[in-house]
Amino acid sequence: MRALARKSLLIGLKCRSCGAIYPPEKMQVCTKCLEPVDPVYDLDAFSTSKEEILRRPRGLWRYAELLPIEDLTNVVDIGAGFTPLTKAENLSRELGSRLYIKNDGTNPTGSFKDRPAGVAISKAREWGDKVVGAASTGNLAASVAAYAAKAGLKCYIFAPASTEIGKVSQTLVYGARIILVDGTYDEANRMAHIASEELGWNIVNVTTRPYYAEGSKTLAYEVAEQLGWRLPDHIVVPTASGSLLYALHRGINELVALGLVEEKEVKLHAAQAAGCAPIANSFKKGLDRVEPVEHPNTIARGLAIGDPGDGDVALKVVRERGGRAEAVTDDEILNGINLLAKHEGIFTEPAGGVVVATTRRLIEEGYIGRDEEVVLLITATGLKTMELIERREEQIIRIKPTISDLLKVRDVA
Ligand SMILES: *Cc1c(COP(=O)(O)O)cnc(C)c1O
Ligand SMILES: [Zn+2]
């Protein structure tokens, strides 16, 4: 009986610009003004209690009313979501403020992309699509490939040829085909758009675009629930296309509208790498429209999107919520990775290093107060980008398998 109560409250798609409402079908943009459309839900019909939510499985579908899958038998589940939120006491001592880590590197494929991909592939199944795909800087590739494997769908991934080897291998192991495009993410994405139109493939970040980002909202729901149905003062968000940041904004608004949390000004900060910081640069210049970066150049390849699809709306949300958009250098990113590993025992890819480094800067510059609560979104594991970690010979001790060699270790240590 309880499963029946969990029914999507999706009622339509709404144009971000003119507000026109459409039925929740396979469409990407408003037919009048060509601007993106976002799902809308009948929040007045939400009658689920907190107790009921707490009884549900700890995963992506815990808040199924607020996700756009109409028939839950179409859900493809690889066990994503409900990742740990931990108090980062050591890092707080180092940087200041009251820091929490939301560790989305613990998702099945090691990144937060298991959230949007989970919704996208479930939607593809709802539509009866046979071929799925994505344009990706690497993490979405692995997620879509994993879900496609579980759902028994053919999968084609478009990625820049410079994508990290770990992410390419991971995509291949799930059985997907990967099309490496000799160019930037934006060029790979252009190819993916054409494949969606000309070949009819369900390219999740194109074909399923309005639905796909809904999966990312679950990060906001989980953070609130894990804090005891409260919102933090700040969330530091690694930002590429801006999709995650905008999804968090919508998720927070829904929580408040449903009365699940008290209203609060949660500042969302966009964290970018200096080598590809279209949103942070445009923020500092006071622009309303994001100026693209033509040639991204950063170790944070997962965030290297020069022409962010949701950049304008991300910029608007950051400002509306009183947040900042910052860019940190590759050295700061590596330092961020090391800080998180050394102080919290959590190993992240560069995107997480961007978040730690940005948080440090925002605290130093006074944008985050010493007593305020901050959630750092650590969106992927460092196991995906092992080649970035220098080999630390000074930490390695080599011995022969003898007692005398072993006892010498004491003197070295
Ligand atoms: C995709 C991704 C993000 C956020 O990207 P958006 O395109 O802004 O939604 C953040 N961190 C990692 C590791 C990612 O893969
Ligand atoms: Zn419109």
Side-chain angles (χ1 to χ4, degrees):
M1 285 306 284
R2 207 162 279 148
L4 286 177
R6 247 192 314 166
K7 178 116 187 59
S8 175
L9 299 174
L10 178 71
I11 46 176
L13 296 172
K14 185 177 175 184
C15 172
R16 232 177 252 178
S17 171
C18 76
I21 306 245
Y22 299 91
E25 288 163 5
K26 200 182 226 177
M27 66 181 295
Q28 291 84 42
V29 291
C30 175
T31 51
K32 292 179 198 130
C33 53
L34 303 180
E35 291 294 321
V37 289
D38 296 315
V40 275
Y41 299 83
D42 181 9
L43 296 184
D44 293 336
F46 187 90
S47 58
T48 315
S49 65
K50 288 177 185 171
E51 293 68 33
E52 162 67 20
I53 293 169
L54 292 172
R55 279 195 295 268
R56 291 179 179 172
R58 298 178 152 213
L60 200 58
W61 301 94
R62 196 168 167 86
Y63 295 85
E65 289 92 338
L66 305 173
L67 294 177
I69 302 303
E70 296 179 49
D71 177 354
L72 286 182
T73 62
N74 289 316
V75 164
V76 185
D77 189 5
I78 61 169
F82 222 88
T83 56
L85 179 80
T86 54
K87 223 175 182 159
E89 277 144 350
N90 299 332
L91 193 65
S92 299
R93 225 169 287 130
E94 185 74 16
L95 304 186
S97 303
R98 286 148 54 207
L99 310 180
Y100 291 82
I101 305 294
K102 179 67 172 163
N103 186 4
D104 249 29
T106 66
N107 275 306
T109 78
S111 95
F112 110 93
K113 289 297 196 308
D114 289 351
R115 298 174 187 273
V119 170
I121 301 304
S122 301
K123 199 70 194 169
R125 190 188 257 181
E126 197 148 84
W127 287 337
D129 294 329
K130 298 280 179 287
V131 182
V132 295
S136 173
T137 56
N139 288 328
L140 182 61
S143 287
V144 169
Y147 280 103
K150 177 80 174 172
L153 303 173
K154 270 206 156 104
C155 181
Y156 293 89
I157 300 294
F158 294 84
S162 60
T163 302
E164 296 99 332
I165 182 69
K167 293 176 186 173
V168 172
S169 307
Q170 205 192 351
T171 303
L172 297 176
V173 82
Y174 298 118
R177 304 295 298 269
I178 191 161
I179 300 157
L180 290 178
V181 179
D182 185 14
T184 61
Y185 168 84
D186 293 314
E187 290 166 309
N189 195 28
R190 209 168 304 138
M191 296 294 108
H193 269 82
I194 296 169
S196 163
E197 276 162 36
E198 300 291 321
L199 307 174
W201 295 352
N202 183 330
I203 301 293
V204 303
N205 60 299
V206 179
T207 321
T208 322
R209 188 184 168 96
Y211 300 103
Y212 144 90
E214 294 295 285
S216 307
K217 290 190 312 188
T218 56
L219 259 173
Y221 306 152
E222 290 173 19
V223 165
E225 183 187 326
Q226 288 167 318
L227 285 175
W229 306 103
R230 270 184 329 105
L231 294 169
D233 298 303
H234 304 265
I235 305 179
V236 183
V237 189
T239 302
S241 72
S243 169
L244 168 58
L245 194 141
Y246 182 49
L248 290 167
H249 170 71
R250 282 179 290 123
I252 291 168
N253 288 349
E254 287 167 352
L255 288 168
V256 172
L258 293 172
L260 290 171
V261 297
E262 259 178 52
E263 179 142 30
K264 181 170 186 178
E265 185 193 58
V266 186
K267 295 191 168 92
L268 297 180
H269 303 283
Q272 299 207 289
C276 183
I279 295 175
N281 296 343
S282 304
F283 176 83
K284 295 207 169 136
K285 287 189 192 164
L287 305 176
D288 288 333
R289 297 229 148 211
V290 171
E291 253 176 28
V293 166
E294 206 140 323
H295 301 290
N297 180 17
T298 168
I299 57 165
R301 292 191 191 154
L303 297 182
I305 296 185
D307 189 4
D310 289 316
D312 296 346
V313 73
L315 201 52
K316 184 164 159 255
V317 163
V318 164
R319 290 198 177 112
E320 259 177 36
R321 290 190 166 275
R324 304 277 306 166
E326 290 286 342
V328 292
T329 64
D330 283 359
D331 279 346
E332 290 177 288
I333 295 168
L334 285 172
N335 184 252
I337 292 174
N338 284 316
L339 273 176
L340 189 64
K342 257 187 74 175
H343 292 291
E344 296 300 329
I346 293 171
F347 181 27
T348 180
E349 73 146 276
V354 168
V355 169
V356 174
T358 299
T359 304
R360 158 171 258 173
R361 188 179 302 166
L362 291 171
I363 294 171
E364 280 170 4
E365 294 185 353
Y367 293 110
I368 292 178
R370 299 274 158 186
D371 294 325
E372 292 186 308
E373 259 179 356
V374 189
V375 172
L376 283 71
L377 297 184
I378 300 302
T379 42
T381 172
L383 297 174
K384 285 169 170 273
T385 54
M386 292 289 279
E387 66 274 20
L388 284 175
I389 304 307
E390 56 177 352
R391 202 176 154 83
R392 298 176 184 174
E393 282 301 329
E394 73 280 9
Q395 281 174 247
I396 300 173
I397 300 165
R398 292 172 204 283
I399 64 167
K400 292 194 187 68
T402 62
I403 294 173
S404 64
D405 255 30
L406 173 63
L407 293 179
K408 276 189 224 150
V409 170
R410 203 180 24 196
D411 309 326
V412 184

